[in-house]
Amino acid sequence: MDNLAMPMAITSSYTRVQCLQRQAASLLLYQSVLQGEVGMAFLELLQAIRYTEADARGCLQAYGSYFHALAARNQNWEDYLITQILFSDNPFTRLAGVREFEDLPPALVTAVQHDLQVLQSLYECSSASLSEWVQGVAHMPISPVVWYKEQELVGVETKFTTYLQELDNWGDAVEELAAYYRQCGSGLFAEYRALRWQSGQFIGIRYSDPVKLSTLVGYESQKDALLKNTEFLLSGEMALHVLLYGSRGSGKSSLVKSLLNEYSNRSLRLLEVAKSDLKDLPEIVEHLRGVSQKFIIFVDDLSFEEDDDAFKALKVVLEGNLTARPQNVVVYATSNRRHLIREFFVDRPTPKDNEEIHAWDTMQEKLSFSDRFGLTLTFEPANQKTYLKIVQHLVAQAEINITQEDLEFQALQWATRHNGRSGRTARQFVDFLKADLTLFHANKNISNT
């Protein structure tokens, strides 16, 4: 760029930046798109470019922050902007998830049209353009490095991205966008398949347990019953709350977590709630009411002390109150105890003065709490036959080459020396066996070279 062209280019970038800033400030519903780290870095870079005459170093630092934010997310600016649109949580996205497009308020549709046109302008402000502007205003001989990577969006995200790229005017995409929210939901529930309730809010789990249903062997009748109940939930029928009770290591938790990997493409979400947060359960259920996805509230290792507030909150959700139960929510709980409330011998009633007259009724309420789950699945300790069947299945999946005799001998030795026969013990044994054989062959190859 020659010296005469430089001032004109700088003036042009100032004008363009001012326009982009005004457009960004005019967003009516999709402000959240620019409130993340990348969006804030983008806005701060625009500001630095506009007022860079005071100190060009500030402009370069702002560009560095913008580049760092994109690299940290491993996304291009264009991909980031579209995913933020798809995952946005605002009045339009929530209403579009539960209503037909024709039933949405006209003012809301008009606001979305405006916002989409604004976001199209921001989308077209590429990282390459920003780099060139920074070069001009900072008087650099070359432009800063541009962050770029190949697009990796998948599924409906790729389809919608392609659709937007082919549109001259994003304002025409409102109906298509509403259809996306109706199918996939919005906000955290669209972005994450697994979540947890923590400190009074939903937290997305980016890397959920990858356990698959096909890896779980044994307890076939329990598995079939849980799958059937989950199908009821996904079909919009009234599914039952489920208690999975039995010995430790039998695969109760893994079975529940595997449902997510089996059915997440059918809008199933798994929400983990710790026992300490069960007091919030009625509030959680109300948050989920009317959301397009189906939710399994997962409570692991459940048990209660007497007069536990968590017990009372769970009882309300299981038994219901004046508020109708939402059909898109069920509770799946695991426990090592058949009777979920701890009972002591001192609790048993004796005919003494100053004691509760109907003490037997109180004790029976404690003992029968597990009956409030519509479905109880019992997982008995694995016998030797079941244990070896699980081991053989896992070894076959891991493609480990070992004789049947050696496998059974080592597996039984492992169970004796460690945690007894269970699905968990079988998994630990096979993981160890695979690592041990891999290391053995690696060392053998080294010694032969």
Side-chain angles (χ1 to χ4, degrees):
M1 184 179 293
D2 58 48
N3 292 334
L4 291 175
M6 181 73 75
M8 294 181 61
I10 294 174
T11 302
S12 175
S13 67
Y14 285 165
T15 303
R16 180 78 174 117
V17 165
Q18 285 178 321
C19 179
L20 288 171
Q21 287 181 309
R22 285 195 297 267
Q23 287 179 307
S26 73
L27 288 171
L28 300 171
L29 295 170
Y30 283 84
Q31 297 94 334
S32 62
V33 170
L34 299 176
Q35 287 173 355
E37 183 181 0
V38 174
M40 294 298 294
F42 173 81
L43 294 177
E44 288 170 5
L45 178 56
L46 292 183
Q47 186 74 352
I49 292 172
R50 182 177 176 185
Y51 294 106
T52 193
E53 63 273 0
D55 183 3
R57 289 178 300 175
C59 182
L60 294 172
Q61 289 171 347
Y63 183 84
S65 297
Y66 169 74
F67 184 97
H68 183 278
L70 287 174
R73 287 188 64 97
N74 199 27
Q75 268 190 314
N76 299 328
W77 165 247
E78 294 83 355
D79 295 341
Y80 170 81
L81 200 68
I82 289 179
T83 55
Q84 292 305 300
I85 292 171
L86 297 180
F87 298 150
S88 178
D89 182 22
N90 62 57
F92 172 75
T93 65
R94 290 192 292 269
L95 209 55
V98 295
R99 286 193 189 179
E100 295 297 326
F101 181 74
E102 297 76 16
D103 297 328
L104 296 174
L108 207 58
V109 173
T110 302
V112 177
Q113 289 173 333
H114 166 270
D115 281 8
L116 287 178
Q117 289 168 342
V118 168
L119 293 169
Q120 183 177 11
S121 297
L122 301 182
Y123 176 92
E124 292 168 351
C125 179
S126 66
S127 295
S129 298
L130 290 170
S131 176
E132 291 177 2
W133 292 349
V134 170
Q135 178 190 4
V137 298
H139 307 292
M140 297 177 63
I142 59 174
S143 59
V145 176
V146 176
W147 170 262
Y148 176 77
K149 70 181 297 291
E150 292 296 327
Q151 192 177 74
E152 291 183 354
L153 298 178
V154 295
V156 289
E157 293 175 22
T158 299
K159 180 181 177 182
F160 190 78
T161 299
T162 303
Y163 170 74
L164 283 182
Q165 289 171 340
E166 294 173 351
L167 271 185
D168 293 330
N169 178 9
W170 283 17
D172 296 334
V174 182
E175 187 170 359
E176 188 77 17
L177 188 58
Y180 171 87
Y181 294 133
R182 195 159 55 249
Q183 176 186 353
C184 302
S186 61
L188 285 175
F189 302 141
E191 186 172 1
Y192 297 98
R193 303 182 310 157
L195 306 98
R196 68 169 53 93
W197 177 264
Q198 184 175 312
S199 303
Q201 61 181 337
F202 296 107
I203 304 294
I205 300 174
R206 190 167 297 280
Y207 304 106
S208 58
D209 193 324
V211 60
K212 294 184 178 180
L213 201 61
S214 60
T215 65
L216 304 178
V217 180
Y219 308 103
E220 301 303 327
S221 62
Q222 294 90 330
K223 183 192 302 183
D224 290 344
L226 192 66
L227 289 175
K228 187 173 184 179
N229 192 66
T230 305
E231 287 283 355
F232 290 159
L233 172 69
L234 297 174
S235 301
E237 302 297 329
M238 188 62 80
L240 301 174
H241 301 301
V242 182
L243 173 65
L244 296 87
Y245 149 76
S247 60
R248 58 188 177 86
S250 55
K252 304 182 296 295
S253 300
S254 295
L255 181 55
V256 175
K257 289 184 284 188
S258 72
L259 296 173
L260 182 63
N261 300 309
E262 188 77 11
Y263 294 116
S264 61
N265 62 338
R266 292 175 60 183
S267 296
L268 181 67
R269 299 293 181 265
L270 191 63
L271 174 62
E272 183 180 54
V273 179
K275 180 197 162 185
S276 58
D277 291 319
L278 282 179
K279 62 183 183 302
D280 299 334
L281 207 52
E283 177 188 353
I284 294 171
V285 170
E286 287 308 307
H287 278 301
L288 303 180
R289 184 185 301 274
V291 177
S292 59
Q293 287 92 347
K294 314 296 183 183
F295 292 88
I296 294 174
I297 296 178
F298 177 42
V299 187
D300 202 16
D301 196 18
L302 184 63
S303 65
F304 298 112
E305 303 292 337
E306 187 175 3
D307 297 327
D308 197 325
D309 288 340
F311 161 66
K312 298 172 184 175
L314 182 55
K315 183 179 176 183
V316 167
V317 172
L318 295 179
E319 294 189 332
N321 51 22
L322 287 177
T323 305
R325 172 192 160 187
Q327 285 189 243
N328 66 326
V329 181
V330 291
V331 175
Y332 285 5
T334 69
S335 179
N336 297 333
R337 301 170 57 90
R338 175 65 178 85
H339 298 301
L340 299 179
I341 305 176
R342 294 178 62 192
E343 182 204 2
F344 300 92
F345 280 107
V346 71
D347 293 331
R348 296 182 180 272
T350 54
K352 295 181 180 179
D353 295 336
N354 301 321
E355 289 201 356
E356 184 181 354
I357 296 175
H358 301 292
W360 273 112
D361 291 346
T362 301
M363 192 181 79
Q364 287 303 310
E365 182 182 17
K366 291 182 182 180
L367 296 179
S368 66
F369 179 66
S370 58
D371 296 337
R372 291 174 168 85
F373 288 88
L375 180 63
T376 299
L377 303 177
T378 303
F379 292 71
E380 297 176 351
N383 55 31
Q384 181 169 303
K385 181 180 178 181
T386 301
Y387 170 68
L388 290 175
K389 180 181 178 182
I390 296 171
V391 168
Q392 290 160 3
H393 180 76
L394 294 175
V395 164
Q397 287 195 326
E399 298 181 347
I400 297 174
N401 186 16
I402 185 174
T403 66
Q404 185 76 8
E405 184 179 358
D406 283 346
L407 177 63
E408 292 187 2
F409 176 76
Q410 292 187 46
L412 292 174
Q413 271 198 329
W414 181 276
T416 301
R417 294 172 180 172
H418 293 82
N419 301 314
R421 296 188 299 262
S422 71
R424 180 185 298 154
T425 301
R427 166 60 68 186
Q428 291 167 346
F429 165 68
V430 173
D431 287 344
F432 175 84
L433 183 63
K434 182 178 181 180
D436 189 43
L437 290 174
T438 301
L439 185 61
F440 171 78
H441 290 303
N443 290 335
K444 185 177 180 181
N445 290 336
I446 292 173
S447 64
N448 291 335
T449 58

